Amino acid sequence: MRGVTGRLMLLDTASLYFRAYFGVPDSVRAPDGTPVNAVRGLLEFIDRLVKDHRPDELVACMDADWRPQWRVDLIPSYKAHRVAEERESGPDEEEVPDTLSPQVPIIEAVLDALGIARVGVAGYEADDVIGTFTGRAKGPVDIVTGDRDLYQLVDDARGVRVLYPLKGVGSLQLTDEAWLREKYGVDGRGYADLALLRGDPSDGLPGVPGIGEKTAAKLLAEFGDLAGIMAAVDDPKTKLTPSQRRRLDESRPYVAVAPKVVRVADDVPLPEVTTALPSAPRDGGTLEALAARWGLGGSLQRLLTTLAARRA
């Protein structure tokens, strides 16, 4: 993606196909009866996103490792409640619905045949891939995700915003710094510190006991960032309550390691890929076979029509 200055759209692909899976009835099936609701729903999502937001570049970012060991080593509870099976080597198996897992390889094959860049890197989550692409982009970036963790990348000065699906992708919350300040009292840079302090049960992050979202926002407003808050713990003149001072002090071991876990990586070794959004399929024959085998019908055809219209 060297030299890209157009609008880059980064998809948190798993977040979107999970939403498609639960948003499209599982009665949507291939000719042999296999559910393809996540596949077709994701194609509909991409079609709508391209129509509405007109990206020049698009990357489907993947979880090559949904629970990287380097994060678990720092905080063992990280996503522990989602583990379906522990493995001696390679990533643990994530607990996902039985009829969703078989659809993921189909999604990957369809994206590849379309010529839509698909990037996952061993040892990293899709969030980290998104963070690295965002850091390298020279133009504006739209991040499409149902994961609020990526709010930390919002940066008005660089044109980085998060498109958060409220219902499908037809209704998106356009998250910029003004929205973040109104909702959470922080900007993108401050969101990671806020999330770290309040914790996140869905990711197995304990947070600092007694420091909820509102208190975290107030502390960040007063002391600037996490380092400023922890410096305030050591300064008896600062306006921390005795309870806050004690709890923050007792949480030093967590606070010391949590930033690396919570903040997305920006140094992922990305492969060289063509991120330009295709106007025609990369492999029409394979795509036609996939469409017939899995009954992708109008969902795929609408996306192909939208991509072809970009040439006009």
Side-chain angles (χ1 to χ4, degrees):
M1 58 171 285
R2 290 175 187 158
V4 172
T5 56
R7 180 169 295 279
L8 171 65
M9 177 171 283
L10 300 170
L11 307 183
D12 181 3
T13 312
S15 167
L16 296 179
Y17 66 59
F18 263 94
R19 283 176 176 256
Y21 176 82
F22 289 107
V24 178
D26 67 0
S27 57
V28 175
R29 296 179 177 247
D32 68 356
T34 301
V36 288
N37 51 331
V39 184
R40 292 190 61 162
L42 181 64
L43 292 173
E44 298 278 4
F45 281 0
I46 296 173
D47 175 52
R48 185 66 182 267
L49 289 165
V50 173
K51 280 179 180 172
D52 290 353
H53 300 283
R54 305 183 65 80
D56 302 294
E57 321 283 317
L58 189 145
V59 183
C61 301
M62 313 295 291
D63 283 318
D65 189 340
W66 67 278
R67 187 176 181 247
Q69 189 60 44
W70 55 271
R71 283 193 166 105
V72 176
D73 289 343
L74 294 169
I75 298 181
S77 62
Y78 183 67
K79 295 186 177 179
H81 60 294
R82 299 194 213 169
V83 176
E85 181 184 344
E86 293 185 1
R87 291 177 174 165
E88 290 284 331
S89 61
D92 292 334
E93 183 177 338
E94 185 178 12
E95 188 171 5
V96 296
D98 290 344
T99 56
L100 173 57
S101 295
Q103 297 188 56
V104 177
I106 305 170
I107 288 168
E108 294 175 344
V110 171
L111 292 174
D112 291 349
L114 279 166
I116 290 175
R118 181 174 64 84
V119 178
V121 178
Y124 294 96
E125 300 176 56
D127 286 8
D128 301 313
V129 174
I130 289 169
T132 304
F133 268 115
T134 299
R136 295 184 185 179
K138 295 179 172 63
V141 180
D142 284 341
I143 299 165
V144 188
T145 181
D147 183 354
R148 293 181 178 89
D149 291 345
L150 288 167
Y151 287 172
Q152 66 185 272
L153 295 174
V154 169
D155 185 341
D156 286 0
R158 297 189 58 234
V160 180
R161 60 185 185 173
V162 167
L163 310 183
Y164 184 91
L166 299 173
K167 186 176 182 182
V169 291
S171 176
L172 292 170
Q173 171 191 289
L174 271 59
T175 306
D176 58 10
E177 289 185 5
W179 189 92
L180 283 177
R181 288 193 189 95
E182 183 177 349
K183 177 73 174 176
Y184 298 106
V186 297
D187 57 12
R189 186 181 296 274
Y191 186 84
D193 286 347
L194 181 136
L196 180 160
L197 289 164
R198 76 169 178 216
D200 186 348
S202 69
D203 279 342
L205 295 173
V208 176
I211 305 293
E213 188 168 278
K214 290 183 179 179
T215 301
K218 287 178 181 177
L219 292 173
L220 288 167
E222 184 163 358
F223 300 111
D225 57 15
L226 183 65
I229 292 170
M230 298 312 293
V233 175
D234 296 323
D235 183 353
K237 297 177 183 177
T238 53
K239 295 178 181 178
L240 289 170
T241 68
S243 174
Q244 289 169 351
R245 195 180 301 276
R246 176 177 54 80
R247 284 170 168 163
L248 286 162
D249 185 52
E250 291 172 349
S251 297
R252 285 183 192 275
Y254 165 74
V255 171
V257 298
K260 189 172 181 183
V261 176
V262 173
R263 291 172 186 153
V264 300
D266 60 4
D267 58 353
V268 175
L270 299 175
E272 284 294 328
V273 292
T274 300
T275 59
L277 196 60
S279 55
R282 173 185 295 153
D283 187 340
T286 297
L287 190 62
E288 188 175 338
L290 288 166
R293 169 74 178 82
W294 301 110
L296 303 182
S299 301
L300 178 59
Q301 193 53 54
R302 281 187 287 276
L303 176 55
L304 287 170
T305 299
T306 296
L307 293 175
R310 297 178 69 255
R311 287 180 295 189

